Amino acid sequence: MTISARTTREDGPQRSTARAAAADRSLRSAGDLIAAGLVAPAHRAALDRVAERYAIAVTPDVARLIDPADPHDPIAAQFVPDSRELDRQDVERDDPIGDLAYSPVEGIVHRYPDRVLLKIVHVCPVYCRFCFRREMVGPKGLGTLSAEALDRALAYIAARPEIFEVILTGGDPLMLSARRARALTRSLAAIDHVKVIRWHSRVPMVDPARITVAFAQALRAAGKAVYVAVHANHPREFSPAAEAALGRLADAGIVLVSQSVLLKGVNDDAETMAALMRAFVANRVKPYYLHQADLAPGTAHFRTSIAEGQALMRQLRGRLSGLAQPTYVLDIPGGEGKVPVGPDYSGPGEVTDYRGGRHRYPPEAIEEP
């Protein structure tokens, strides 16, 4: 039987005091979540079993966004553990997108000819319950890449002039200190053929105070294009503090793009997804990818079908300008790369508009009078 991680309740004085005490630190266990009023005490045993397998972390900023009275709260669904995570389907994989098959040296994933992933850290400020690297990240993982391993990874990049772009990921690479982020940026900037440095992160949304003006400046590199891909899945994630952090990055000259995951019960309706994309654009973040949820263990309750995602994208086409349209993509299991799986608007001799109307193309010739 599925046990919901949340329940409707009234806060008494003791629970309110416990929530206040937990407000200034990250929540990392079922006990912490109970003390903060985000989980019913009756569910502790079930969630302790989840915690034995998968990391838990909810920052104070995220905890403040959760409505504990809503059993379907979209923020809680992303970060509060659920007993369904222990239900593994046969199609699910520990390494669903095949990182390990394309890792020539520790810390590097070289799947595409002109770009590599550099997995610099294996910890995050929060742990998404649908994470495709959930078997590899967390306090029990590898921590930060050692100095020796980083040297080998940088040497690998430097020895391959075809590498145009380095994508910093993990874990969450913005968990580095400003000093270490600056040092890494300078090391990559010293490699002449690397022209683009891209950081993938949830930090601006879930721990925005980390993104100080000094931190934003630490990511800059003279003569290089620097991007930050910001991960958010629901418009409520755009708190005033998160919007301010995005502003500090944009004001520092960092180009911002978005990443989101299509999640059942979180953002799988046109109204929510449209609001999310508008929130990105309003904060100078260009919508980039909308990911089909990967086949990570224990995540079936989050996954929609591709057909459902395509129907959603058709609805967005009529609601949003092109500036706010993400590309709907699937990471092919096993490591064969991303492919767009958005709806097809053209067929033999015709095109389909966003309302579903079909039109001949090229149109029939018009006879002049």
Side-chain angles (χ1 to χ4, degrees):
M1 180 177 70
T2 298
I3 301 174
S4 173
R6 298 164 300 283
T7 187
T8 302
R9 69 185 71 83
E10 294 294 329
D11 281 344
Q14 289 183 334
R15 187 175 300 280
S16 297
T17 301
R19 290 188 69 178
D24 61 350
R25 61 182 178 84
S26 291
L27 311 175
R28 298 186 179 276
S29 68
D32 287 347
L33 295 168
I34 291 167
L38 302 181
V39 169
H43 298 161
R44 177 164 189 160
L47 298 189
D48 279 342
R49 290 194 294 272
V50 177
E52 289 174 2
R53 181 164 181 82
Y54 301 118
I56 296 172
V58 179
T59 61
D61 289 271
V62 170
R64 284 191 287 269
L65 296 176
I66 295 173
D67 178 3
D70 180 3
H72 306 292
D73 182 83
I75 309 301
Q78 296 182 64
F79 303 109
V80 175
D82 190 300
S83 62
R84 289 175 291 181
E85 294 175 47
L86 298 180
D87 299 332
R88 179 169 181 156
Q89 295 191 344
D90 291 342
V91 296
E92 294 175 342
R93 306 180 180 198
D94 289 353
D95 182 18
I97 68 168
D99 278 355
L100 297 178
Y102 290 87
S103 184
V105 298
E106 184 183 355
I108 292 287
V109 178
H110 196 174
R111 182 178 288 110
Y112 303 101
D114 73 334
R115 55 204 182 276
V116 297
L117 302 182
L118 175 52
K119 297 198 287 188
I120 187 66
V121 297
H122 292 270
V123 294
C124 300
V126 293
Y127 292 103
C128 305
R129 311 322 302 170
F130 50 87
C131 178
F132 67 96
R133 292 195 179 115
R134 62 191 331 214
E135 297 284 356
M136 309 173 193
V137 301
K140 298 177 184 177
L142 302 176
T144 304
L145 205 62
S146 70
E148 295 78 11
L150 178 57
D151 285 345
R152 289 191 293 270
L154 292 172
Y156 179 92
I157 295 168
R160 288 160 177 80
E162 69 272 19
I163 296 176
F164 173 81
E165 181 174 3
V166 175
I167 301 163
L168 294 150
T169 182
D172 194 315
L174 295 191
M175 291 292 284
L176 295 175
S177 66
R179 178 185 62 80
R180 296 196 67 182
R182 181 181 295 106
L184 180 54
T185 296
R186 289 176 176 174
S187 293
L188 290 169
I191 302 173
D192 184 64
H193 57 263
V194 172
K195 304 300 183 184
V196 177
I197 302 169
R198 189 189 343 158
W199 302 74
H200 282 212
S201 181
R202 268 215 161 197
V203 165
M205 310 305 293
V206 303
D207 193 7
R210 289 184 65 88
I211 307 299
T212 63
V213 171
F215 198 108
Q217 292 292 332
L219 304 181
R220 298 184 60 179
K224 307 293 181 179
V226 180
Y227 290 73
V228 171
V230 180
H231 181 176
N233 297 315
H234 194 276
R236 270 179 41 208
E237 295 175 52
F238 286 79
S239 67
E243 291 184 334
L246 295 174
R248 288 190 288 273
L249 289 168
D251 289 345
I254 308 298
V255 182
L256 303 178
V257 297
S258 80
Q259 289 213 115
S260 302
V261 182
L262 180 58
L263 300 169
K264 186 181 296 184
V266 173
N267 58 18
D268 60 333
D269 64 276
E271 182 178 355
T272 300
M273 189 62 73
L276 173 63
M277 294 303 146
R278 290 192 184 106
F280 277 128
V281 172
N283 285 280
R284 293 181 280 176
V285 182
K286 173 66 180 79
Y288 180 35
Y289 278 152
L290 173 62
H291 292 268
Q292 173 69 12
D294 293 305
L295 298 176
T299 62
H301 54 290
F302 283 114
R303 288 196 296 274
T304 67
S305 67
I306 288 179
E308 290 171 318
Q310 291 172 332
L312 175 61
M313 290 300 296
R314 282 186 178 278
Q315 294 178 71
L316 292 187
R317 180 58 58 182
R319 290 169 179 254
L320 301 174
S321 74
L323 188 64
Q325 299 283 341
T327 300
Y328 179 36
V329 294
L330 168 71
D331 237 317
I332 299 172
E336 300 309 315
K338 294 182 184 68
V339 291
V341 289
D344 190 351
Y345 292 92
S346 65
E350 69 176 23
V351 294
T352 304
D353 65 36
Y354 72 90
R355 300 183 186 89
R358 295 183 178 182
H359 310 271
R360 182 182 177 88
Y361 189 86
E364 294 181 355
I366 298 175
E367 293 186 6
E368 296 292 338

